[in-house]
């Protein structure tokens, strides 16, 4: 059985020591969604939400959150990510906004928490900006889609 890496032999929380690991190119992709009413989606698309451009604001919030992930999650390494992207898709059902985020870095540890945080905060920003007009919104299905790493020399 695998052990929890953030727990020491005495059962205490600890930050994992990655200083002995090789620097590698790493990327993580996460997704999630916010379910909302069709009328709310129409307001977002027509930029009629009182707080402003919802998706532009949520994109910037997600990127900013990925950059601050180490400050938000206590045992997460503070990482100087080299790229973060947040994208939105509206399915034909028009009952949700799918959110996808990717984060990249050359480092000794992965960036999955940064991608997951970007999705989470983008969704919460949409929620915050639209809560006055839609009391039924739900943030759902936040998950890691993939994480990859490769040697610096192989690129």
């Amino acid at each position: 059985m695998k052990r929890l890496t953030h727990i020491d032999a005495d059962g205490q929380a600890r930050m994992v020591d990655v200083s002995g690991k090789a620097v590698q190119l790493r990327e993580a992709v996460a997704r999630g969604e916010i379910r909302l009413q069709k009328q709310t989606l129409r307001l977002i698309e027509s930029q009629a939400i009182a707080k402003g451009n919802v998706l532009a604001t949520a994109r910037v919030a997600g990127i900013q959150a990925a950059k601050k992930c180490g400050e938000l999650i206590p045992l997460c390494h503070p990482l100087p990510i080299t790229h973060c992207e947040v994208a939105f898709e509206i399915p034909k059902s028009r009952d949700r906004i799918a959110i996808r985020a990717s984060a990249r870095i050359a480092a000794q540890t992965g960036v999955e928490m940064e991608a997951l945080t970007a999705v989470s905060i983008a969704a919460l920003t949409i929620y915050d900006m639209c809560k006055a007009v839609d009391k039924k919104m739900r943030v759902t299905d936040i998950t890691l889609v993939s994480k990859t790493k490769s040697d610096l020399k192989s690129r």
Side-chain angles (χ1 to χ4, degrees), residues 41-62:
L41 189 54
R42 284 193 289 274
L43 292 171
I44 291 169
E45 291 174 320
S46 65
Q47 295 192 29
I49 296 291
K51 290 186 176 184
N53 186 323
V54 174
L55 297 183
T57 304
R59 179 176 288 110
V60 172

Side-chain angles (χ1 to χ4, degrees), residues 34-88:
I34 183 163
R35 295 179 178 256
L36 36 69
Q37 296 177 49
K38 288 177 172 64
Q39 177 60 26
T40 306
L41 189 54
R42 284 193 289 274
L43 292 171
I44 291 169
E45 291 174 320
S46 65
Q47 295 192 29
I49 296 291
K51 290 186 176 184
N53 186 323
V54 174
L55 297 183
T57 304
R59 179 176 288 110
V60 172
I63 293 168
Q64 183 177 359
K67 292 170 28 178
K68 293 190 171 284
C69 188
E71 295 173 35
L72 300 169
I73 300 172
L75 301 177
C76 190
H77 294 88
L79 298 176
I81 62 174
T82 57
H83 181 75
C84 182
E85 186 174 320
V86 177
F88 305 100

Side-chain angles (χ1 to χ4, degrees), residues 103-152:
R104 274 187 241 136
I105 195 169
Q108 296 162 299
T109 188
V111 290
E112 59 268 32
M113 294 309 299
E114 286 72 11
L116 287 161
T117 300
V119 168
S120 300
I121 296 302
L124 290 173
T125 299
I126 294 168
Y127 189 99
D128 177 58
M129 293 183 75
C130 299
K131 66 187 177 198
V133 298
D134 190 342
K135 306 294 186 204
K136 295 183 179 184
M137 289 181 294
R138 288 181 320 169
V139 175
T140 65
D141 300 324
I142 296 171
T143 187
L144 182 67
V145 174
S146 66
K147 66 178 190 172
T148 58
K149 62 183 174 181
S150 61
D151 291 330
L152 292 171

